Amino acid sequence: MIHLVRAGALTVLFGACAAAAAAQSPLPSPSPSPSAIPEIGRVVTSDRRAESAASATRPTFVVDRSTIESFGSRTIGDALENVPGVDLFSYGAFGAQVNYGIRGTSSTETLILQDGIPIATASNGVVDLGSLSTAGVQRIEVVESGASTLYGSSATGGVINIITAASAQPYLRVSAGSLGDRSVAAQFGIGNLAVSFERHVADNVYDYPAFAYAGGNATTAGTRTNDDAQQTTLRVSYLAQLGGGWTARLTGGDDAIRISVPGSLQFLTTEARQGTGRTDGLLDLSHALGRGMLTADIALTGQRLVYSDPVYVGGEDDTYDARAQASLRYTSSGTHDDVVAGVDLSRETALLTFAPSTPPSPALGVAEAQSAAYAQYGYDPTAALRLTLGLRGENDAPRGKVLAPSFGVRLDLGGARLTANVGESYRVPTLIDLYYPGYANPNLLPERLANYDTTLAFAHVLGGVTLGYFGRDGSNLIVLDPTTFAPYNASRASVNGLQLTVATRPLDHWRATAGVTDVYRAQDTSTGMRLSDTPPIVATVGLERGFDGGPFAAGVRVRVVGSSPDVPNYAGGPPYADPYDAFTTADAYVRFRLVPSAILTLRARNLGDERYAPLFGYPAPGRTFEVELSTR
């Protein structure tokens, strides 16, 4: 177990605050809001149980269905655009891959859940948020704190939980826009059965300017082609009351997306195509037991990724991933304490099929299993003070065992609320890290990190103000050897930052929100270099007016992203300096309720026509427009 950095200092802070706690009274739970920034009334991800947002010690943000529909977010990546602390790096227009992180972490260090179940592929441990549809999604909860105690591997930076709940209320939407973008979505239900469907296609042909990087790494202006995408998503949800007090919820989905792959401007792939198919199913059984709830989950997920390129014979390797998980969880809540305890059992498998070679390479099937037990106890010694203590023990066959403790506190100070957390998190190597022929390292150890964060919230200042400090220190970080491209445990990391969020109270039905995240330190301490894809400043500003003020609604969101470090040049030349990865974009919408069941929406994205490349060699599209007609 690694040393918990700064644990002593935080403990002193907890003790000093507790001395003044008895005379304080708890803050009221925040009210629901269409904005992504404020917390809503109840959340389920922070402590792996349903609770008031005011009770959670871990900072949690929510993107609700209203915000998803207002801004026309077709993918999970789009929906997270205005969440403070979330970093997004897109390879292009709709269909392109989107990398992500929370407060200075990478995609592999941010856990993606769907209805509380991990959905990252077994082979590489990540999810493509740029192709993950919002069809059937009720809301998205983002926990920005280490959460390995409750969720296990990869919850270093935090957790993004995609909560699905197809509604039986009929819904229809059609839209068309720039870049040949058009979509149709429908939702309907019969009794307790609800179905959501969406079809989205785009041509994605757009011009881009020349990019002149340092060291002679320049690209000429041109037109992005071979970048079209088409996606079909179907989600089904069924709720049933069983005998003996049991409730069953069955959800499932199938998502197929086929895209062209234009490649980097330096290595164009003019005819490459990629097809991805995702299937998931979840059976959730729950039963009330006294003051508690017993929940059993059985989940299956699978992904098929097939790549072809007639120009480069053989193309790339295809992968087939599958994951099965069974979980049993008990939660209870009393007057002064609460408990969350459970067991997670899972098995991940992957079939790697290799591009044609001489001699032929046979397909490789690999697997690993996880078994874990966890518990978190919450105690409220006074109405103003809450303490949590948790521990997870996990065995990752064949990698060995890990332990992840955590401690949290929430203290109400009259007009303010202080929360703080300290704990350990980890990430186990992926199947590709361990087994990919010629580029693997079977001796890899899990990454281990110490996490700490504290947040001071003022619920009655404006519409809510929070100021947070966060950090993590880690060892055994898995990096690639720039010469052999094989992973190894060599890196140590230290990350520190500050976060400010502000919301206003409604004024004539308008509400403004803002968030600034400053990752002022994100260093690989083994090399002294800044960690890649860690922009020092990411700021978001939003302004929205809902339909509560009449038949007219509108909104705008602005995102400001600072420049990341230079990208290494593995070809041996100077690094690719990144002056084009810093950008400011603005999205806006105007909605008109024509009749009670018909809404006309006009949207514009990247209003300033900012021309930038968030990742080296991958230009973003310019200004686009969209018109939509929907029943909600």
Side-chain angles (χ1 to χ4, degrees):
M1 188 183 304
I2 64 175
H3 176 61
L4 296 180
V5 181
R6 296 174 179 80
L10 284 175
T11 302
V12 172
L13 174 62
F14 297 164
C17 294
Q24 307 300 329
S25 59
L27 292 175
S29 175
S31 301
S33 165
S35 169
I37 291 183
E39 298 166 314
I40 63 169
R42 295 187 68 79
V43 293
V44 299
T45 310
S46 180
D47 290 307
R48 204 167 174 174
R49 66 183 182 91
E51 63 183 333
S52 164
S55 298
T57 60
R58 298 177 178 90
T60 302
F61 301 96
V62 177
V63 183
D64 61 19
R65 186 67 206 179
S66 173
T67 301
I68 291 173
E69 293 180 354
S70 293
F71 281 99
S73 301
R74 304 293 185 251
T75 69
I76 300 299
D78 292 339
L80 296 173
E81 282 282 346
N82 212 41
V83 179
V86 175
D87 299 322
L88 301 167
F89 304 93
S90 176
Y91 282 81
F94 166 71
Q97 179 177 326
V98 173
N99 295 343
Y100 50 91
I102 294 178
R103 291 179 168 182
T105 59
S106 66
S107 300
T108 57
E109 297 166 327
T110 303
L111 183 63
I112 306 295
L113 307 174
Q114 182 171 281
D115 297 322
I117 303 296
I119 59 172
T121 58
S123 56
N124 63 10
V126 300
V127 180
D128 179 8
L129 297 186
S131 63
L132 202 60
S133 174
T134 57
V137 173
Q138 182 189 61
R139 69 183 189 274
I140 306 168
E141 296 185 0
V142 181
V143 177
E144 300 190 354
S145 179
S148 284
T149 294
L150 293 177
Y151 293 104
S153 176
S154 302
T156 297
V159 175
I160 298 172
N161 190 10
I162 304 163
I163 299 172
T164 68
S167 172
Q169 180 182 2
Y171 172 65
L172 180 64
R173 184 197 75 229
V174 293
S175 68
S178 307
L179 309 184
D181 190 290
R182 57 262 192 212
S183 71
V184 58
Q187 180 177 278
F188 62 91
I190 302 175
N192 292 331
L193 174 67
V195 179
S196 294
F197 169 84
E198 182 172 13
R199 172 70 173 169
H200 186 189
V201 299
D203 298 335
N204 293 336
V205 177
Y206 58 92
D207 296 332
Y208 58 86
F211 297 102
Y213 292 87
N217 298 307
T219 63
T220 58
T223 300
R224 204 66 159 144
T225 57
N226 192 47
D227 198 21
D228 57 285
Q230 51 181 303
Q231 182 175 32
T232 304
T233 303
L234 177 69
R235 294 211 61 82
V236 179
S237 177
Y238 182 75
L239 182 66
Q241 298 294 330
L242 306 180
W246 286 92
T247 299
R249 178 173 178 256
L250 181 64
T251 65
D254 189 81
D255 190 3
I257 181 167
R258 184 162 179 80
I259 63 173
S260 296
V261 185
S264 165
L265 298 183
Q266 289 71 39
F267 305 99
L268 294 174
T269 49
T270 57
E271 296 185 41
R273 299 195 67 83
Q274 176 179 296
T276 304
R278 288 184 290 259
T279 304
D280 64 86
L282 169 66
L283 174 62
D284 179 281
L285 300 170
S286 59
H287 186 276
L289 293 176
R291 69 173 191 174
M293 180 72 69
L294 181 66
T295 304
D297 294 327
I298 300 175
L300 299 172
T301 60
Q303 176 175 291
R304 309 162 302 281
L305 187 152
V306 179
Y307 183 93
S308 64
D309 188 347
V311 175
Y312 297 94
V313 178
E316 294 185 5
D317 307 329
D318 302 333
T319 59
Y320 301 84
D321 294 276
R323 189 177 195 278
Q325 176 167 325
S327 298
L328 186 65
R329 182 175 74 258
Y330 176 73
T331 63
S332 69
S333 180
T335 304
H336 296 291
D337 65 350
D338 53 79
V339 173
V340 178
V343 175
D344 293 329
L345 304 174
S346 62
R347 179 176 175 81
E348 298 179 330
T349 59
L351 178 66
L352 309 178
T353 61
F354 304 105
S357 60
T358 304
S361 298
L364 176 65
V366 292
E368 63 181 358
Q370 299 87 30
S371 57
Y374 63 90
Q376 178 177 282
Y377 177 69
Y379 177 58
D380 304 332
T382 72
L385 178 64
R386 171 176 169 80
L387 305 172
T388 62
L389 181 65
L391 179 66
R392 183 185 186 91
E394 180 170 312
N395 180 60
D396 292 275
R399 302 277 29 103
K401 300 176 176 62
V402 292
L403 289 174
S406 64
F407 175 64
V409 63
R410 187 206 73 228
L411 179 63
D412 294 326
L413 302 166
R417 185 179 73 209
L418 175 70
T419 60
N421 302 277
V422 60
E424 293 189 10
S425 60
Y426 59 91
R427 180 178 82 86
V428 299
T430 67
L431 294 179
I432 284 182
D433 289 335
L434 296 171
Y435 302 113
Y436 194 88
Y439 302 96
N441 182 353
N443 299 314
L444 287 174
L445 300 174
E447 296 183 356
R448 304 303 303 272
L449 297 99
N451 299 72
Y452 43 93
D453 61 77
T454 183
T455 302
L456 187 61
F458 301 91
H460 304 299
V461 176
L462 300 176
V465 175
T466 69
L467 177 63
Y469 166 77
F470 58 88
R472 67 185 61 89
D473 297 276
S475 62
N476 290 341
L477 267 66
I478 300 171
V479 297
L480 291 180
D481 185 305
T483 303
T484 65
F485 295 98
Y488 67 107
N489 293 109
S491 182
R492 298 182 61 86
S494 180
V495 175
N496 297 97
L498 299 170
Q499 187 174 85
L500 172 69
T501 69
V502 179
T504 66
R505 293 188 178 90
L507 178 61
D508 193 23
H509 304 286
W510 289 91
R511 193 169 191 272
T513 57
V516 179
T517 303
D518 179 8
V519 184
Y520 61 83
R521 175 181 170 87
Q523 188 176 41
D524 181 338
T525 55
S526 61
T527 64
M529 301 292 290
R530 188 175 175 93
L531 298 172
S532 62
D533 293 340
T534 56
I537 295 290
V538 176
T540 61
V541 178
L543 179 65
E544 288 188 78
R545 181 186 193 273
F547 280 121
D548 55 331
F552 161 78
V556 61
R557 64 184 182 191
V558 178
R559 185 175 181 85
V560 181
V561 178
S563 182
S564 297
D566 295 351
V567 178
N569 187 341
Y570 293 115
Y576 299 129
D578 272 346
Y580 301 105
D581 64 347
F583 59 91
T584 299
T585 59
D587 301 335
Y589 69 86
V590 178
R591 312 191 80 193
F592 303 92
R593 190 178 295 278
L594 305 177
V595 295
S597 59
I599 297 175
L600 176 66
T601 304
L602 305 176
R603 298 191 184 93
R605 297 183 175 89
N606 192 5
L607 272 169
D609 200 27
E610 185 95 344
R611 311 314 296 264
Y612 61 102
L615 293 162
F616 180 79
Y618 292 89
R623 184 190 301 113
T624 61
F625 299 95
E626 178 183 74
V627 59
E628 174 189 283
L629 186 63
S630 65
T631 59
R632 184 177 65 231

